[in-house]
Amino acid sequence: MKVPLLDLKAQYATIKNEVFAAVAGVLESQVCIGGPKVAELEQKIAAISDCKYAVGVSSGTDALLCSLMALGIGAGNEVITTPFTFFATAGSIARTGATPVFVDIDLHSYNIDPVLIEQAITPRTRAILPVHLFGQMCDMDPIMDIANRHALYVIEDAAQSITATYKGRKAGSMGTVGCFSFFPSKNLGAAGDGGMIVTNDHDLSAKIALLRNHGAKPKYFHKYVGGNFRLDPIQAAVLLAKLPHLDRWSEARRRHAAYYDERFKGARPITPIIASDRISIYNQYVIRVDNREELIEHLRANNIGCEIYYPLSMHEQECFRNLGYQPNAHPRSSKAAREVLALPVYPELTADQLDFVASTVLAKTQARAPMVT
Ligand SMILES: Cc1ncc(COP(=O)(O)O)c(C=O)c1O
C-alpha cells in the first residue's frame, strides 16, 4: 500500500467535471484579469469568514505583504510574530523594511504564546502577526486585548486555517485583517497560487484593492506604490468549483484526526492538542516524537508520506542572522522543530490507509512510554 502525504489527484477525480466547466467558462469569456469570478469568490470567502470585505490576491504571501503595506508598516517598525511558521510570515514583514520580532510558542498548540507578547512590545511595535498553524486558531482574546491596549494592528495569518473557529469566531475575522492562502495543499487549494485578504474595515479593503493593482486610481494615476498582487480569474473559478466541498473535506480531516488520536492514545507520540473552545480544520495532523529520524525512515520504507513542518525556527534562519537571536532564544519553537512530523490527513484517505499509517507509526513508537507535552 502507498499513502502519500497529500493526494491531490484523488481529490481532483471527485470534482473533475466541475473544475473543467469552471475553467472552460473563464476561457470562453476571455475575461483574463479580474472580472465576475474573482468578485464572486471574494463575496463568498467574505461570507464564510464572517467578514464584510474580501480582496483576492496572488498568494498567501502577497496577502501578508499587501496587508502590511496597506497598514503603512515599513522601515523603523517592528511586528511581533511567531518563530514557528512558514517563512512567508516573517519574510513578508522583512520585505516591507520592518523588523520581525519573534515571540516563542506554546507547545500544546504550536501557536504564539500570548503570555510572552507584552514583554516584546517596544515604542516601534506597530502590529502583532499571529499565525493559526496547522488549522487551529491562536488564543485570540488575550492577543486582541494586548493589541487594543497598545493600539497595535493585528494581522491574522490564516493561510492554514480557513473556516477554523475560536469561541465561534472565524479565522480572519478577529484582527484588523485576515490573510488566506489557496496554495494547492491548503484545505481550499487552487490549481496554482492564490490568496485572499478579509477585513471588516471598508477603507482598508479599498486601499488593499488599489495596492494589488499598482495603487492605481484611475488607471495610470497612482495614489500608492503597490504591486501586481491580483488573483487570476482561472484560479478564482477553480476555487469556486471547490468551495461547496470545503466543509465536507474539513470534516473528513477531523474524522481522520480523531481516528489517529484514538489509535495513538497511551502511545509515545504526542498528538495534536486542540483547545476545547476551538474547531481545527487540520490542514496538517502533526505529531511530536523523540525518535523522528528513525520514524521517518520507517514510514518511507513503507511508502508513507510525511513531512517536517518546520525544521528550522525563523529566529535561526540564515537570512535573519542580522537580527541577533541566539539559537536558544526560543526553546519551545526549536524543540518543536526537532520533534514534529506531519502525517497524511487528507480527506480522501481510506480506512485501510488510515489503519496502515497508524499501525506503521505505532510499530516504531509504542514500545516507549508516552512523551510528556
Ligand atoms: C502559515 C503560512 N503563511 C503564509 C503562507 C504563504 O502562502 P502562499 O504559499 O500562498 O504564498 C503559507 C503557505 O504556504 C503558510 O502556511
Side-chain angles (χ1 to χ4, degrees):
M1 187 181 301
K2 199 171 174 180
V3 191
L5 181 65
L6 176 67
D7 189 351
L8 286 175
K9 282 188 178 172
Q11 184 192 71
Y12 182 60
T14 68
I15 52 166
K16 187 170 174 170
N17 293 341
E18 293 139 83
V19 172
F20 244 80
V23 171
V26 175
L27 292 176
E28 290 297 334
S29 77
Q30 281 300 299
V31 176
C32 301
I33 300 287
K37 289 296 169 192
V38 173
E40 185 184 343
L41 183 71
E42 288 172 340
Q43 181 250 316
K44 288 185 169 161
I45 296 294
I48 65 165
S49 306
D50 292 341
C51 284
K52 286 193 188 136
Y53 311 102
V55 184
V57 289
S58 32
S59 66
T61 305
D62 288 340
L64 292 166
L65 181 62
C66 201
S67 297
L68 290 157
M69 289 169 73
L71 294 169
I73 290 167
N77 299 149
E78 292 174 358
V79 177
I80 292 173
T81 194
T82 168
F84 194 61
T85 180
F86 177 60
F87 180 75
T89 314
S92 300
I93 297 168
R95 285 172 65 194
T96 66
T99 303
V101 173
F102 300 113
V103 163
D104 209 355
I105 57 168
D106 143 44
L107 263 179
H108 285 184
S109 63
Y110 304 115
N111 286 330
I112 192 166
D113 187 344
V115 172
L116 303 175
I117 291 178
E118 207 145 15
Q119 64 206 50
I121 295 175
T122 76
R124 290 179 297 282
T125 310
R126 293 283 308 282
I128 306 173
L129 206 168
V131 181
H132 307 316
L133 207 66
F134 303 147
Q136 174 172 217
M137 283 180 71
C138 298
D139 189 4
M140 287 302 287
D141 276 351
I143 293 173
M144 293 310 297
D145 177 57
I146 294 165
N148 289 334
R149 279 191 285 108
H150 293 269
L152 304 175
Y153 298 122
V154 174
I155 300 158
E156 290 178 65
D157 183 341
Q160 302 184 8
S161 292
I162 193 164
T163 71
T165 62
Y166 170 86
K167 300 183 181 176
R169 307 276 303 271
K170 288 278 176 68
S173 71
M174 295 187 71
T176 320
V177 292
C179 298
F180 298 123
S181 162
F182 301 128
F183 187 79
S185 65
K186 301 299 192 262
N187 287 40
L188 181 63
D193 282 308
M196 187 81 62
I197 301 166
V198 289
T199 180
N200 285 307
D201 181 330
H202 172 270
D203 293 350
L204 189 59
S205 76
K207 185 173 182 185
I208 290 167
L210 292 191
L211 283 172
R212 79 168 157 186
N213 208 7
H214 290 297
K217 190 186 182 181
K219 206 171 176 183
Y220 306 122
F221 293 81
H222 298 267
K223 192 171 165 67
Y224 310 109
V225 177
N228 176 355
F229 302 132
R230 295 183 298 256
L231 176 66
D232 189 307
I234 287 185
Q235 298 305 340
V238 170
L239 292 162
L240 281 167
K242 287 186 166 192
L243 189 56
H245 306 283
L246 175 60
D247 285 345
R248 184 169 54 80
W249 288 334
S250 295
E251 196 52 54
R253 286 170 180 268
R254 278 191 288 273
R255 267 200 316 278
H256 300 341
Y259 173 84
Y260 285 143
D261 286 351
E262 196 55 39
R263 289 288 305 272
F264 298 150
K265 213 174 248 175
R268 186 79 181 154
I270 293 172
T271 52
I273 298 168
I274 308 301
S276 59
D277 55 10
R278 269 152 262 194
I279 297 175
S280 172
I281 63 159
Y282 283 101
N283 181 241
Q284 302 296 343
Y285 183 90
V286 175
I287 60 169
R288 203 141 57 78
V289 286
D290 50 7
N291 62 334
R292 186 170 67 182
E293 289 318 308
E294 193 189 5
L295 178 59
I296 291 173
E297 210 173 286
H298 183 61
L299 290 170
R300 292 205 174 130
N302 283 280
N303 290 315
I304 294 173
C306 59
E307 190 66 77
I308 300 170
Y309 300 119
Y310 296 92
L312 190 64
S313 286
M314 289 305 120
H315 70 283
E316 297 179 71
Q317 297 288 344
E318 185 177 346
C319 66
F320 289 138
R321 240 173 234 164
N322 62 317
L323 299 179
Y325 287 94
Q326 296 299 317
N328 63 354
H330 299 301
R332 295 184 212 147
S333 176
S334 301
K335 182 174 170 63
R338 285 193 303 274
E339 297 182 344
V340 289
L341 190 65
L343 301 178
V345 73
Y346 60 88
E348 297 77 15
L349 281 168
T350 65
D352 285 349
Q353 286 178 311
L354 284 162
D355 171 53
F356 183 54
V357 174
S359 304
T360 310
V361 169
L362 287 170
K364 267 289 167 235
T365 55
Q366 75 182 355
R368 299 146 164 254
M371 283 169 68
V372 180
T373 48

